[in-house]
Each structure stands twice: as C-alpha cells, then as structure tokens.
Amino acid sequence: MSTSLPPVHVIGGGLAGSEAAWQIAQAGVPVVLHEMRPVRGTEAHKTAGLAELVCSNSFRSDDAETNAVGLLHQEMRRLGSLIMAKGDAHQVPAGGALAVDREGFSAAVTAALEAHPLVTIRREEITGLPPEEWDSVIIATGPLTSPALADAVRALTGERELAFFDAIAPIVYRDSIDMSIAWFQSRYDKAGPGGTGADYINCPLDRDQYEAFVDALLAGEKTSFKEWEAETPYFDGCLPIEVMAERGRETLRHGPMKPVGLTNPHRPDRKPYAVVQLRQDNALGTLFNMVGFQTKLKYGEQTRIFRMIPGLEKAEFARLGGLHRNTYLNSPRLLDPTLRLKVMPRLRFAGQITGCEGYVESAAVGLMAGRFAAAERLGRPLRPLPVTTAMGALINHITGGHIETIDEGPRSFQPMNVNFGLFPPLERALKGEDGQRLRGSAKALARKKALTDRARADLDAWLAADRLPAAAE
Ligand SMILES: Cc1cc2nc3c(=O)[nH]c(=O)nc-3n(C[C@H](O)[C@H](O)[C@H](O)COP(=O)(O)OP(=O)(O)OC[C@H]3O[C@@H](n4cnc5c(N)ncnc54)[C@H](O)[C@@H]3O)c2cc1C
C-alpha cells in the first residue's frame, strides 16, 4: 500500500464517486471522498448513505449475451466493481433484471468504503473549484450537483457547456428506418460544416397523416414535472413537442416539422405536407435523433405515436425522449479520452455529470475515472478500454463519439444510456448454419450475441495487457 502518495480527491459519494473511490483505493492509492449529505441535501436524496438509489431499485437487465447493460454489468464485475459486488449481494427477485434492496445496498457500499484503510470520508460540501493543492480530483456530483459547485464549473467551462436541464429527443437505430419511404437530404441541400448536403433522414407526412399525428400528440399521456423540476428554468428552443402542438395545429408544421427545402425522391410529384427530420447522432452513423422532438410523453405513448410517422413504422429506439432536471457537461467537447477536463486536467469528471444516463452507466464511468486517476498517480500508462466493449463504447461516446451540431437549440449532446448503437458495427455479415445471410429477428439476436462475444474477447485482451490487477472471476 502506498499511503505516502498524495491522495486523489473524489467529490460526491453517489454511484460514480463511490465506485471511483473504491477503484483508487484498491489500486493502492489513498483517496479522500467528499460527500455533502447529510450536511446538505439534494431534492431527490433522502438518506446520508453513499450510493443512494434516488428512484427505482433496478440495475436493469442482467443478460450479458444479448443486452448492452447486462454486458456492462459483466464487464464491471470483471474489473472489481464495488457497486456490482454489493448489488449482487443485495439482489431481490426481479426476473431477468438485477434489482437490489436499496437500503442494504447503500449500507454495504458505505461500510466497505468506511472500512478501507486508504479511504477517508469527509461529510462536507465543496462549494467552489477544488483548491490548487488538490492535484488530482474526480468530480462526481451527479445530476443534482449543488449550485455553488455547478456555478464554479460553469464559470470555468462557459455558459453553454454546463446544462441544468436535458431535453432529450428520441434516438432511433438507423437500420430500423424504412428508407423506401424516408430519404437522405439536408434542407436546400446545404452542406454545413463537415456535412455533405444529404445529412438528414427525412420522413414525409401528407395532410391526413399530419392531422392524425397532431391528434395523437394532444391525446397522448404525459408525465408531469416533479415540483422542484417545475421551478427550474430551462432554455427556450427546448419546448416539448406536445406543448408546441397545443399552441396550434400548424405550429409543428412551421417548427421542427416544416416541409421546406426538401424534395421526396420517392414521390417527386408530391410535396410533403410536413417532414420529420432525423440527424446523425454518433460518428459511427448507427444512431439518428429526431430533431426537435423532445417530449414529456410517457414511453409507451412515444413508441406508439412516433411509429405513426411514415418510415418509422418499425423504428427501434435506442432511447426515448424526456425532459429532466439534470446538471451535465458538454463532455464530447470538454473532456479528453481519460475523462480529464481539457482546460484544467487536474479535474476529471465521472457519473451522470459527464452525460451518461443511469445508475449502472454512472458507476461504470466512475470505475474508469478511478482507474485512470490511480494509474496517473502511480505513473502507469492510461489505457482507455477498447471501444468494442460496453464500457469503452460508453466512454467513447461521452468523450467524442457523439457528433455535435450547433445549428439550433442550446446544444445537441444529450445524456445517453449504454446501447448497441454505440458499438462499432460488426465487420462481417452474419450467416446462419445453412450459409445464408440471416434476416429479421434471427439476425438481430445473432448480431447482439456477436457484439457481446467480441466485447468479451477484446476485454480479455485488454485485461491481459493491463498492469492493474483485475478482480478474480
Ligand atoms: C430524480 C431522479 C431520478 C432518477 N431515477 C433513476 C432511475 O430510476 N434509474 C436510473 O438508472 N437512473 C436514475 N436517475 C439518473 C442517474 O442514474 C442517477 O441520478 C445516478 O444516481 C447518478 O449517479 P451519480 O453518481 O452521477 O450521481 P449521484 O448518485 O446523484 O451522486 C452525486 C453525489 O454528489 C453529492 N454532491 C452533490 N454536490 C456536491 C458538492 N458540491 N459537494 C459534495 N458532494 C456533493 C450528492 O449528495 C450525491 O451523493 C435519476 C436521476 C434523478 C435526478
């Protein structure tokens, strides 16, 4: 144990900060974990426990063969995750999902960190940029980062780069869009920076389809803001699509669904009455977001209503839309591949504040931030994970994989769950036992299986080359 080394400071003892602190200490580096609760609370946390689950008690699917979050669980277990170990130990029955007894889980994480000889826990709020003598800091203060610290980070990164609200438009898998109906074209064929003039996927609606779509939006069941969310101001340009529809039946046709500057090559004789545009969301070109379609519709309603759009009848969604109170960085622009803030590399970020979404994803980013900080302190190379692994794909998306567009709204980077759309596509076509190309659901299943097999093989190779010890399997 290297107790003579200066400590790494971790701010925030949630899912990400607890995992980061554990990884650092397990690597033999002292760590000081600063958690403001119970001295100061947040609007959502109720206890003083570390790694408190603020809402559901589910870590989602535990299927590592065909589910991206299940694969993430498996990878985290292999990397000695505290969050996964205590989640497993406090599991409650939930079918194929991993759900946990929240109190037992949080108490076990707290006890493990309190008992670790290299971990010091300080119950205090950090109210500004960390003092200069803290040469290695991980900020993992989550979606409800206290205002004083959020203001300090915002002053450092710039107004536009730290949001207090997410406005998520649904994201669709490119290969589930029917291109015999939709087509590629930018409005007026304009090639913006880095564009070709055919960057958007366009879905056309005729008048009847548009009217039916507006009716469905108006009638669709919505979720409501929590009281404290309703009081948080959010940017204009982020109005939910159903609120726009409420303002008048033509509002959408003059807003995100305007049909101008576009010609449908499938029906050049007929001008669309309205058009839904989807914009490439990741460098791989596997994900497309529905431009301007942020919404508070319930998830089931979103799937039903958005599949009314011609070309999206069979759309599969990598994530559905939403609007929440959420403090998060424009990470693809601000962070380097090892999660350091480019303008002040002594600061790393981890957890939901980096623009990942979810308990497990937050802990996963904390895990890697902790490993990077420990390796740096020990003078070892910082080795990012292969982008073919679930953890590597997620961190790659956060630190550069997302394509930023700045043509409208406050900014385009929105929080992301882990999903197969973040993984580089397979190099070979999948064939069945008869040597024929697979199709339909058999193809989808085989693809997921091949992606997770590739991830496991690549993680094996990475672990074999890594000098930090991996947990025993
Ligand atoms: C209301 C709400 C409900 C959610 N529900 C779910 C859900 O059901 N499932 C899901 O997967 N995800 C959910 N999320 C999203 C997300 O996964 C969780 O917020 C997750 O806890 C994020 O982990 P984190 O470690 O980044 O942040 P947190 O777990 O929130 O941890 C951040 C910690 O930092 C502390 N802190 C903040 N500021 C300071 C400061 N200045 N100094 C010291 N300490 C500070 C906080 O007290 C907190 O303990 C929800 C988010 C919110 C806001």
Side-chain angles (χ1 to χ4, degrees), residues 65-116:
E65 299 295 314
T66 62
N67 189 290
V69 79
L71 178 66
L72 192 61
H73 292 172
Q74 187 181 56
E75 292 178 359
M76 292 173 69
R77 289 182 182 115
R78 297 194 62 195
L79 293 168
S81 163
L82 175 68
I83 294 299
M84 289 310 300
K86 298 308 176 195
D88 288 336
H90 292 274
Q91 191 167 356
V92 295
L98 173 59
V100 308
D101 163 24
R102 66 178 74 239
E103 279 161 25
F105 165 73
S106 167
V109 172
T110 309
L113 286 165
E114 282 174 347
H116 201 295

Short mmCIF file of all heavy atoms in Angstrom, two decimals, residues 65-116:
data_model
loop_
_atom_site.label_atom_id
_atom_site.label_comp_id
_atom_site.label_asym_id
_atom_site.label_seq_id
_atom_site.Cartn_x
_atom_site.Cartn_y
_atom_site.Cartn_z
N GLU A 65 -25.46 -11.63 -22.65
CA GLU A 65 -25.32 -12.18 -24.00
C GLU A 65 -25.98 -11.28 -25.05
O GLU A 65 -25.45 -11.10 -26.13
CB GLU A 65 -25.99 -13.57 -24.07
CG GLU A 65 -25.37 -14.59 -23.14
CD GLU A 65 -23.94 -14.91 -23.52
OE1 GLU A 65 -23.69 -15.12 -24.71
OE2 GLU A 65 -23.07 -14.92 -22.63
N THR A 66 -27.16 -10.75 -24.70
CA THR A 66 -27.92 -10.03 -25.74
C THR A 66 -28.40 -8.65 -25.28
O THR A 66 -29.26 -8.06 -25.92
CB THR A 66 -29.15 -10.86 -26.18
OG1 THR A 66 -30.00 -11.04 -25.06
CG2 THR A 66 -28.75 -12.21 -26.75
N ASN A 67 -27.87 -8.15 -24.19
CA ASN A 67 -28.31 -6.84 -23.70
C ASN A 67 -27.10 -5.98 -23.33
O ASN A 67 -26.20 -6.46 -22.63
CB ASN A 67 -29.24 -7.04 -22.49
CG ASN A 67 -29.89 -5.74 -22.08
OD1 ASN A 67 -29.22 -4.86 -21.56
ND2 ASN A 67 -31.17 -5.63 -22.32
N ALA A 68 -27.08 -4.73 -23.79
CA ALA A 68 -25.88 -3.90 -23.58
C ALA A 68 -25.66 -3.57 -22.11
O ALA A 68 -24.51 -3.55 -21.65
CB ALA A 68 -26.00 -2.62 -24.40
N VAL A 69 -26.74 -3.34 -21.35
CA VAL A 69 -26.50 -3.02 -19.92
C VAL A 69 -26.10 -4.29 -19.16
O VAL A 69 -25.29 -4.24 -18.22
CB VAL A 69 -27.69 -2.26 -19.28
CG1 VAL A 69 -28.84 -3.15 -18.92
CG2 VAL A 69 -27.22 -1.50 -18.05
N GLY A 70 -26.62 -5.44 -19.60
CA GLY A 70 -26.19 -6.71 -18.99
C GLY A 70 -24.70 -6.94 -19.23
O GLY A 70 -23.97 -7.40 -18.35
N LEU A 71 -24.26 -6.61 -20.43
CA LEU A 71 -22.83 -6.73 -20.74
C LEU A 71 -22.01 -5.78 -19.87
O LEU A 71 -20.94 -6.14 -19.36
CB LEU A 71 -22.61 -6.42 -22.22
CG LEU A 71 -21.16 -6.44 -22.71
CD1 LEU A 71 -20.58 -7.86 -22.64
CD2 LEU A 71 -21.06 -5.90 -24.14
N LEU A 72 -22.55 -4.58 -19.67
CA LEU A 72 -21.86 -3.60 -18.81
C LEU A 72 -21.71 -4.17 -17.39
O LEU A 72 -20.63 -4.05 -16.78
CB LEU A 72 -22.65 -2.29 -18.80
CG LEU A 72 -21.99 -1.06 -18.21
CD1 LEU A 72 -20.71 -0.69 -18.96
CD2 LEU A 72 -22.95 0.14 -18.25
N HIS A 73 -22.76 -4.79 -16.87
CA HIS A 73 -22.66 -5.44 -15.54
C HIS A 73 -21.49 -6.40 -15.52
O HIS A 73 -20.68 -6.41 -14.59
CB HIS A 73 -23.91 -6.29 -15.24
CG HIS A 73 -25.17 -5.52 -15.03
ND1 HIS A 73 -26.39 -6.16 -14.91
CD2 HIS A 73 -25.44 -4.21 -14.92
CE1 HIS A 73 -27.34 -5.27 -14.73
NE2 HIS A 73 -26.78 -4.07 -14.73
N GLN A 74 -21.44 -7.25 -16.55
CA GLN A 74 -20.41 -8.30 -16.59
C GLN A 74 -19.00 -7.68 -16.61
O GLN A 74 -18.11 -8.12 -15.89
CB GLN A 74 -20.64 -9.18 -17.81
CG GLN A 74 -19.75 -10.40 -17.86
CD GLN A 74 -20.02 -11.21 -19.12
OE1 GLN A 74 -19.93 -10.71 -20.23
NE2 GLN A 74 -20.36 -12.48 -18.92
N GLU A 75 -18.85 -6.67 -17.44
CA GLU A 75 -17.52 -6.03 -17.53
C GLU A 75 -17.13 -5.40 -16.20
O GLU A 75 -15.98 -5.48 -15.76
CB GLU A 75 -17.53 -4.97 -18.64
CG GLU A 75 -17.67 -5.59 -20.03
CD GLU A 75 -17.73 -4.54 -21.14
OE1 GLU A 75 -17.67 -3.33 -20.85
OE2 GLU A 75 -17.83 -4.95 -22.30
N MET A 76 -18.10 -4.75 -15.56
CA MET A 76 -17.79 -4.09 -14.28
C MET A 76 -17.41 -5.13 -13.22
O MET A 76 -16.50 -4.91 -12.42
CB MET A 76 -18.99 -3.26 -13.82
CG MET A 76 -19.23 -2.05 -14.72
SD MET A 76 -20.75 -1.19 -14.32
CE MET A 76 -20.34 -0.49 -12.72
N ARG A 77 -18.12 -6.25 -13.22
CA ARG A 77 -17.76 -7.31 -12.26
C ARG A 77 -16.31 -7.74 -12.50
O ARG A 77 -15.54 -7.94 -11.58
CB ARG A 77 -18.68 -8.52 -12.41
CG ARG A 77 -20.10 -8.26 -11.92
CD ARG A 77 -20.96 -9.53 -12.05
NE ARG A 77 -22.32 -9.26 -11.62
CZ ARG A 77 -23.39 -9.31 -12.42
NH1 ARG A 77 -23.28 -9.64 -13.70
NH2 ARG A 77 -24.59 -9.06 -11.93
N ARG A 78 -15.95 -7.89 -13.77
CA ARG A 78 -14.59 -8.34 -14.09
C ARG A 78 -13.55 -7.31 -13.67
O ARG A 78 -12.39 -7.66 -13.44
CB ARG A 78 -14.48 -8.63 -15.58
CG ARG A 78 -15.40 -9.77 -15.99
CD ARG A 78 -15.07 -10.29 -17.35
NE ARG A 78 -13.72 -10.83 -17.39
CZ ARG A 78 -13.05 -11.09 -18.50
NH1 ARG A 78 -13.60 -10.83 -19.66
NH2 ARG A 78 -11.85 -11.58 -18.45
N LEU A 79 -13.94 -6.04 -13.59
CA LEU A 79 -12.99 -5.00 -13.20
C LEU A 79 -13.09 -4.69 -11.70
O LEU A 79 -12.63 -3.65 -11.24
CB LEU A 79 -13.23 -3.75 -14.04
CG LEU A 79 -12.90 -3.92 -15.53
CD1 LEU A 79 -13.43 -2.77 -16.35
CD2 LEU A 79 -11.40 -4.07 -15.74
N GLY A 80 -13.69 -5.60 -10.95
CA GLY A 80 -13.71 -5.47 -9.50
C GLY A 80 -14.62 -4.37 -8.99
O GLY A 80 -14.30 -3.71 -8.00
N SER A 81 -15.77 -4.18 -9.62
CA SER A 81 -16.68 -3.10 -9.22
C SER A 81 -17.29 -3.33 -7.84
O SER A 81 -17.87 -4.38 -7.56
CB SER A 81 -17.81 -2.99 -10.25
OG SER A 81 -18.89 -2.26 -9.72
N LEU A 82 -17.19 -2.30 -7.00
CA LEU A 82 -17.85 -2.33 -5.69
C LEU A 82 -19.37 -2.27 -5.85
O LEU A 82 -20.11 -2.98 -5.17
CB LEU A 82 -17.37 -1.13 -4.85
CG LEU A 82 -18.04 -0.95 -3.49
CD1 LEU A 82 -17.66 -2.08 -2.53
CD2 LEU A 82 -17.66 0.40 -2.88
N ILE A 83 -19.82 -1.42 -6.75
CA ILE A 83 -21.27 -1.25 -6.94
C ILE A 83 -21.90 -2.57 -7.39
O ILE A 83 -22.96 -2.97 -6.89
CB ILE A 83 -21.53 -0.13 -7.98
CG1 ILE A 83 -21.08 1.23 -7.44
CG2 ILE A 83 -23.01 -0.10 -8.43
CD1 ILE A 83 -21.76 1.72 -6.18
N MET A 84 -21.25 -3.28 -8.30
CA MET A 84 -21.81 -4.55 -8.76
C MET A 84 -21.72 -5.60 -7.65
O MET A 84 -22.66 -6.38 -7.45
CB MET A 84 -21.11 -5.04 -10.02
CG MET A 84 -21.42 -4.24 -11.27
SD MET A 84 -23.18 -3.95 -11.58
CE MET A 84 -23.78 -5.63 -11.70
N ALA A 85 -20.60 -5.64 -6.93
CA ALA A 85 -20.45 -6.65 -5.86
C ALA A 85 -21.55 -6.48 -4.82
O ALA A 85 -22.18 -7.46 -4.39
CB ALA A 85 -19.07 -6.54 -5.22
N LYS A 86 -21.81 -5.23 -4.42
CA LYS A 86 -22.82 -5.02 -3.37
C LYS A 86 -24.24 -5.14 -3.96
O LYS A 86 -25.17 -5.54 -3.27
CB LYS A 86 -22.62 -3.65 -2.70
CG LYS A 86 -21.27 -3.52 -1.99
CD LYS A 86 -21.00 -4.67 -1.03
CE LYS A 86 -19.61 -4.59 -0.40
NZ LYS A 86 -19.20 -5.87 0.24
N GLY A 87 -24.39 -4.80 -5.25
CA GLY A 87 -25.68 -5.02 -5.91
C GLY A 87 -26.00 -6.51 -5.94
O GLY A 87 -27.12 -6.93 -5.61
N ASP A 88 -25.02 -7.32 -6.31
CA ASP A 88 -25.23 -8.78 -6.36
C ASP A 88 -25.56 -9.32 -4.96
O ASP A 88 -26.42 -10.18 -4.79
CB ASP A 88 -23.98 -9.47 -6.90
CG ASP A 88 -23.80 -9.23 -8.40
OD1 ASP A 88 -24.80 -8.95 -9.08
OD2 ASP A 88 -22.65 -9.34 -8.88
N ALA A 89 -24.84 -8.78 -3.97
CA ALA A 89 -25.04 -9.30 -2.60
C ALA A 89 -26.41 -8.91 -2.05
O ALA A 89 -26.90 -9.57 -1.14
CB ALA A 89 -23.93 -8.76 -1.70
N HIS A 90 -27.02 -7.86 -2.57
CA HIS A 90 -28.30 -7.40 -2.03
C HIS A 90 -29.42 -7.47 -3.07
O HIS A 90 -30.37 -6.69 -3.05
CB HIS A 90 -28.14 -5.98 -1.46
CG HIS A 90 -27.28 -5.97 -0.25
ND1 HIS A 90 -27.76 -6.19 1.02
CD2 HIS A 90 -25.94 -5.87 -0.13
CE1 HIS A 90 -26.76 -6.20 1.87
NE2 HIS A 90 -25.63 -6.01 1.21
N GLN A 91 -29.29 -8.48 -3.91
CA GLN A 91 -30.25 -8.68 -5.00
C GLN A 91 -31.63 -9.06 -4.44
O GLN A 91 -31.73 -9.78 -3.45
CB GLN A 91 -29.71 -9.83 -5.86
CG GLN A 91 -30.41 -10.01 -7.14
CD GLN A 91 -29.61 -10.95 -8.06
OE1 GLN A 91 -28.51 -11.37 -7.71
NE2 GLN A 91 -30.17 -11.25 -9.19
N VAL A 92 -32.67 -8.57 -5.09
CA VAL A 92 -34.04 -9.04 -4.78
C VAL A 92 -34.62 -9.63 -6.07
O VAL A 92 -34.18 -9.26 -7.16
CB VAL A 92 -34.94 -7.89 -4.25
CG1 VAL A 92 -34.44 -7.37 -2.92
CG2 VAL A 92 -35.07 -6.75 -5.25
N PRO A 93 -35.58 -10.56 -5.99
CA PRO A 93 -36.07 -11.21 -7.21
C PRO A 93 -36.67 -10.20 -8.19
O PRO A 93 -37.45 -9.34 -7.80
CB PRO A 93 -37.16 -12.16 -6.70
CG PRO A 93 -36.96 -12.28 -5.23
CD PRO A 93 -36.26 -11.04 -4.78
N ALA A 94 -36.24 -10.28 -9.45
CA ALA A 94 -36.76 -9.34 -10.47
C ALA A 94 -36.63 -9.95 -11.86
O ALA A 94 -36.25 -9.27 -12.80
CB ALA A 94 -36.03 -8.02 -10.39
N GLY A 95 -36.89 -11.23 -12.01
CA GLY A 95 -36.83 -11.87 -13.32
C GLY A 95 -35.41 -11.77 -13.89
O GLY A 95 -34.43 -12.04 -13.21
N GLY A 96 -35.32 -11.32 -15.15
CA GLY A 96 -34.01 -11.21 -15.80
C GLY A 96 -33.27 -9.94 -15.43
O GLY A 96 -32.16 -9.71 -15.91
N ALA A 97 -33.89 -9.10 -14.60
CA ALA A 97 -33.22 -7.85 -14.22
C ALA A 97 -32.47 -8.03 -12.91
O ALA A 97 -32.73 -8.97 -12.15
CB ALA A 97 -34.26 -6.75 -14.08
N LEU A 98 -31.52 -7.13 -12.67
CA LEU A 98 -30.85 -7.11 -11.37
C LEU A 98 -31.47 -5.96 -10.58
O LEU A 98 -31.25 -4.79 -10.90
CB LEU A 98 -29.34 -6.89 -11.55
CG LEU A 98 -28.55 -6.67 -10.26
CD1 LEU A 98 -28.69 -7.87 -9.31
CD2 LEU A 98 -27.08 -6.42 -10.57
N ALA A 99 -32.28 -6.31 -9.58
CA ALA A 99 -32.84 -5.29 -8.71
C ALA A 99 -32.27 -5.51 -7.32
O ALA A 99 -31.90 -6.63 -6.96
CB ALA A 99 -34.36 -5.38 -8.69
N VAL A 100 -32.17 -4.43 -6.55
CA VAL A 100 -31.48 -4.54 -5.26
C VAL A 100 -32.33 -3.98 -4.12
O VAL A 100 -33.18 -3.11 -4.33
CB VAL A 100 -30.11 -3.81 -5.31
CG1 VAL A 100 -29.28 -4.28 -6.49
CG2 VAL A 100 -30.26 -2.31 -5.34
N ASP A 101 -32.05 -4.49 -2.94
CA ASP A 101 -32.63 -3.91 -1.73
C ASP A 101 -31.85 -2.61 -1.47
O ASP A 101 -30.67 -2.63 -1.10
CB ASP A 101 -32.45 -4.89 -0.56
CG ASP A 101 -32.65 -4.23 0.78
OD1 ASP A 101 -33.34 -3.19 0.83
OD2 ASP A 101 -32.09 -4.71 1.77
N ARG A 102 -32.52 -1.47 -1.71
CA ARG A 102 -31.77 -0.20 -1.77
C ARG A 102 -31.06 0.13 -0.46
O ARG A 102 -29.95 0.66 -0.46
CB ARG A 102 -32.67 0.93 -2.22
CG ARG A 102 -33.78 1.29 -1.26
CD ARG A 102 -34.64 2.45 -1.72
NE ARG A 102 -35.55 2.09 -2.80
CZ ARG A 102 -35.55 2.67 -4.00
NH1 ARG A 102 -34.69 3.63 -4.27
NH2 ARG A 102 -36.42 2.31 -4.90
N GLU A 103 -31.73 -0.17 0.69
CA GLU A 103 -31.09 0.20 1.95
C GLU A 103 -29.88 -0.67 2.25
O GLU A 103 -28.81 -0.20 2.63
CB GLU A 103 -32.10 0.12 3.09
CG GLU A 103 -32.95 1.37 3.12
CD GLU A 103 -34.24 1.21 3.90
OE1 GLU A 103 -34.29 0.33 4.79
OE2 GLU A 103 -35.18 1.97 3.58
N GLY A 104 -30.07 -1.99 2.02
CA GLY A 104 -28.96 -2.93 2.27
C GLY A 104 -27.80 -2.62 1.34
O GLY A 104 -26.62 -2.64 1.76
N PHE A 105 -28.11 -2.29 0.10
CA PHE A 105 -27.07 -1.99 -0.90
C PHE A 105 -26.27 -0.75 -0.49
O PHE A 105 -25.03 -0.78 -0.41
CB PHE A 105 -27.75 -1.78 -2.26
CG PHE A 105 -26.88 -1.12 -3.29
CD1 PHE A 105 -25.84 -1.81 -3.90
CD2 PHE A 105 -27.10 0.22 -3.64
CE1 PHE A 105 -25.02 -1.19 -4.84
CE2 PHE A 105 -26.30 0.84 -4.58
CZ PHE A 105 -25.25 0.15 -5.18
N SER A 106 -26.97 0.32 -0.19
CA SER A 106 -26.28 1.58 0.15
C SER A 106 -25.48 1.41 1.45
O SER A 106 -24.33 1.88 1.54
CB SER A 106 -27.33 2.69 0.30
OG SER A 106 -26.78 3.82 0.90
N ALA A 107 -26.05 0.70 2.42
CA ALA A 107 -25.33 0.48 3.69
C ALA A 107 -24.06 -0.32 3.45
O ALA A 107 -23.01 -0.05 4.05
CB ALA A 107 -26.25 -0.24 4.69
N ALA A 108 -24.13 -1.31 2.54
CA ALA A 108 -22.96 -2.15 2.28
C ALA A 108 -21.86 -1.37 1.56
O ALA A 108 -20.67 -1.52 1.85
CB ALA A 108 -23.38 -3.37 1.45
N VAL A 109 -22.25 -0.51 0.61
CA VAL A 109 -21.25 0.32 -0.09
C VAL A 109 -20.60 1.25 0.92
O VAL A 109 -19.35 1.40 0.97
CB VAL A 109 -21.91 1.12 -1.25
CG1 VAL A 109 -20.93 2.13 -1.84
CG2 VAL A 109 -22.43 0.18 -2.34
N THR A 110 -21.41 1.88 1.78
CA THR A 110 -20.88 2.81 2.78
C THR A 110 -19.91 2.09 3.72
O THR A 110 -18.80 2.57 3.98
CB THR A 110 -22.05 3.42 3.60
OG1 THR A 110 -23.02 3.94 2.68
CG2 THR A 110 -21.57 4.52 4.52
N ALA A 111 -20.32 0.90 4.18
CA ALA A 111 -19.47 0.16 5.13
C ALA A 111 -18.15 -0.24 4.49
O ALA A 111 -17.08 -0.14 5.11
CB ALA A 111 -20.22 -1.08 5.64
N ALA A 112 -18.20 -0.68 3.23
CA ALA A 112 -16.96 -1.11 2.56
C ALA A 112 -15.99 0.05 2.43
O ALA A 112 -14.78 -0.10 2.66
CB ALA A 112 -17.29 -1.69 1.18
N LEU A 113 -16.50 1.21 2.08
CA LEU A 113 -15.61 2.37 1.92
C LEU A 113 -15.10 2.86 3.27
O LEU A 113 -13.92 3.20 3.42
CB LEU A 113 -16.33 3.49 1.15
CG LEU A 113 -16.48 3.19 -0.36
CD1 LEU A 113 -17.50 4.12 -1.01
CD2 LEU A 113 -15.13 3.30 -1.08
N GLU A 114 -15.99 2.86 4.28
CA GLU A 114 -15.56 3.30 5.62
C GLU A 114 -14.47 2.38 6.17
O GLU A 114 -13.57 2.83 6.88
CB GLU A 114 -16.76 3.31 6.59
CG GLU A 114 -17.64 4.54 6.40
CD GLU A 114 -18.91 4.52 7.24
OE1 GLU A 114 -19.25 3.44 7.80
OE2 GLU A 114 -19.57 5.56 7.30
N ALA A 115 -14.55 1.10 5.82
CA ALA A 115 -13.60 0.12 6.39
C ALA A 115 -12.28 0.10 5.62
O ALA A 115 -11.30 -0.47 6.09
CB ALA A 115 -14.23 -1.27 6.35
N HIS A 116 -12.23 0.70 4.44
CA HIS A 116 -11.00 0.59 3.64
C HIS A 116 -9.90 1.48 4.22
O HIS A 116 -10.12 2.68 4.42
CB HIS A 116 -11.28 1.00 2.19
CG HIS A 116 -10.27 0.45 1.23
ND1 HIS A 116 -8.94 0.81 1.26
CD2 HIS A 116 -10.38 -0.46 0.23
CE1 HIS A 116 -8.28 0.15 0.31
NE2 HIS A 116 -9.13 -0.63 -0.33
#
